[in-house]
């Protein structure tokens, strides 16, 4: 039974949304909106799930229980509100979005930002993703003049 | 047996909504027409393969306010469970003011 279920379990992946935020969308007739998207991700590791799989796979009952105990103890240090699975690099991976946005829009005139915190979940590991979409404002070659 | 049927019916006919996130941008002093965008995503057996449907929010808002800025946007992300494990629906709304 496990031989049948394990590949099925390993092959499945799902996308989860944790947070969505839409920012203000500015309008200026002299500028056109060029859409852009930046995405940063880090690998998350679900220790509890790893422990559960380990316990199911390991034949020795005592070794399985020890593994469960270890994961429970480590779990005690991963407390507090959170989204997704813990990552090893701390929270620094999300800091890259500023640089990436500047690369996509060197003028810095950005509007309509949508920030999405999502997770691509696989067994044991996960892709912890921060995605930002928005518009880079670019001046039109023929600006609209106001009638006086 | 009757108890099992009763409990099963109770579990499967309960729908719960929980708010996953809410955000609000600065509300403008001069409030114009209210514009609203929403996307829904049905999830069967907890399988959801992408989040591209979220990109429609800003497009929908811009379509309703083509010659103005959209400010004071309230974004609400709600997950509704209709049948536990079997069927969920994500409902994301963004509502703001069109300032021309």
């Amino acid at each position: 039974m496990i031989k049948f279920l394990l590949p099925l379990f390993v092959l499945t992946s799902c996308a989860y949304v944790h947070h969505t935020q839409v920012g203000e969308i500015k309008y200026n007739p002299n500028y056109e909106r060029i859409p852009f998207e930046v995405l940063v991700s880090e690998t998350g590791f679900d220790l509890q799930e790893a422990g559960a799989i380990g316990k199911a796979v390991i034949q020795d009952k005592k070794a399985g229980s020890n593994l469960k105990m270890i994961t429970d103890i480590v779990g005690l240090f991963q407390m507090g509100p959170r989204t997704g699975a813990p990552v090893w690099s701390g929270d620094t991976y999300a800091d890259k979005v500023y640089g990436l946005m500047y690369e996509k829009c060197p003028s810095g005139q950005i509007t309509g930002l949508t920030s999405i915190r999502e997770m691509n979940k696989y067994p044991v590991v996960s892709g912890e993703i921060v995605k930002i979409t928005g518009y880079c404002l670019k001046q039109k070659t023929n600006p609209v003049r106001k009638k006086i | 047996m009757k108890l099992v049927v009763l409990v099963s019916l109770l579990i499967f006919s309960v729908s719960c909504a929980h708010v996953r996130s809410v955000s609000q941008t600065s509300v403008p002093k001069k409030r114009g027409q209210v514009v609203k965008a929403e996307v829904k995503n049905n999830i069967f057996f907890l399988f959801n393969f992408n989040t591209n449907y979220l990109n429609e929010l800003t497009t929908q808002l811009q379509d309703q306010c083509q010659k103005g800025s959209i400010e004071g946007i309230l974004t609400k992300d709600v997950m509704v469970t209709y049948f536990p494990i079997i069927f969920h629906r994500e409902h994301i709304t963004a509502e703001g003011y069109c300032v021309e």
Side-chain angles (χ1 to χ4, degrees):
Chain A
M1 187 68 174
I2 287 175
K3 278 180 186 172
F4 171 74
L5 286 176
L6 205 60
L8 191 75
F9 186 60
V10 169
L11 291 172
T12 53
S13 71
C14 279
Y16 293 86
V17 178
H18 291 298
H19 179 87
T20 312
Q21 181 175 357
V22 179
E24 285 170 7
I25 305 167
K26 295 286 178 195
Y27 172 77
N28 186 328
N30 295 326
Y31 287 83
E32 59 180 323
R33 296 164 179 158
I34 313 288
F36 72 88
E37 180 181 305
V38 296
L39 189 144
V40 290
S41 70
E42 186 60 83
T43 307
F45 188 76
D46 192 332
L47 203 65
Q48 292 292 328
E49 205 171 281
I53 291 173
K55 198 181 170 190
V57 172
I58 292 170
Q59 300 293 326
D60 183 0
K61 270 192 174 178
K62 199 180 171 192
S65 301
N66 288 344
L67 189 67
K68 177 80 173 58
M69 194 177 72
I70 291 165
T71 56
D72 285 347
I73 290 169
V74 175
L76 289 174
F77 293 91
Q78 297 173 341
M79 56 176 283
R82 67 182 194 197
T83 55
V87 294
W88 298 119
S89 66
D91 59 351
T92 53
Y93 76 98
D95 297 349
K96 285 182 250 168
V97 290
Y98 298 116
L100 291 169
M101 275 165 62
Y102 185 72
E103 275 175 27
K104 296 268 182 180
C105 186
S107 72
Q109 299 200 65
I110 292 168
T111 191
L113 284 179
T114 303
S115 35
I116 301 161
R117 166 74 183 93
E118 63 177 271
M119 172 176 78
N120 276 349
K121 179 85 184 78
Y122 307 96
V124 185
V125 292
S126 59
E128 302 298 332
I129 300 165
V130 176
K131 187 164 86 176
I132 312 275
T133 61
Y135 298 94
C136 180
L137 296 177
K138 189 185 168 190
Q139 195 155 23
K140 286 179 182 169
T141 45
N142 299 316
V144 178
R145 287 184 185 168
K146 278 188 179 175
K147 287 176 187 173
I148 303 168
Chain B
M1 186 63 190
K2 275 184 183 174
L3 188 70
V4 174
V5 173
L6 193 72
V7 170
S8 305
L9 275 173
L10 195 71
I11 290 171
F12 284 97
S13 53
V14 168
S15 71
C16 294
H18 59 270
V19 179
R20 293 194 298 195
S21 72
V22 175
S23 67
Q24 171 78 59
T25 65
S26 308
V27 179
K29 190 177 175 184
K30 188 186 160 192
R31 293 170 206 168
Q33 177 206 344
V34 174
V35 286
K36 190 175 179 180
E38 64 175 357
V39 288
K40 289 174 184 173
N41 181 40
N42 296 329
I43 300 169
F44 293 95
F45 294 104
L46 304 173
F47 285 105
N48 180 36
F49 299 104
N50 68 67
T51 59
N52 295 339
Y53 50 90
L54 294 171
N55 299 344
E56 288 173 31
L57 286 171
T58 47
T59 317
Q60 281 185 31
L61 288 174
Q62 283 179 77
D63 287 346
Q64 293 168 59
C65 180
Q66 292 185 350
K67 292 195 172 175
S69 301
I70 303 155
E71 297 175 23
I73 300 172
L74 170 73
T75 315
K76 201 166 67 176
D77 184 341
V78 178
M79 176 70 100
V80 186
T81 304
Y82 288 100
F83 298 102
I85 303 172
I86 299 167
F87 181 56
H88 296 76
R89 177 179 281 166
E90 271 182 297
H91 188 195
I92 299 125
T93 55
E95 196 175 332
Y97 298 98
C98 178
V99 182
E100 290 183 18

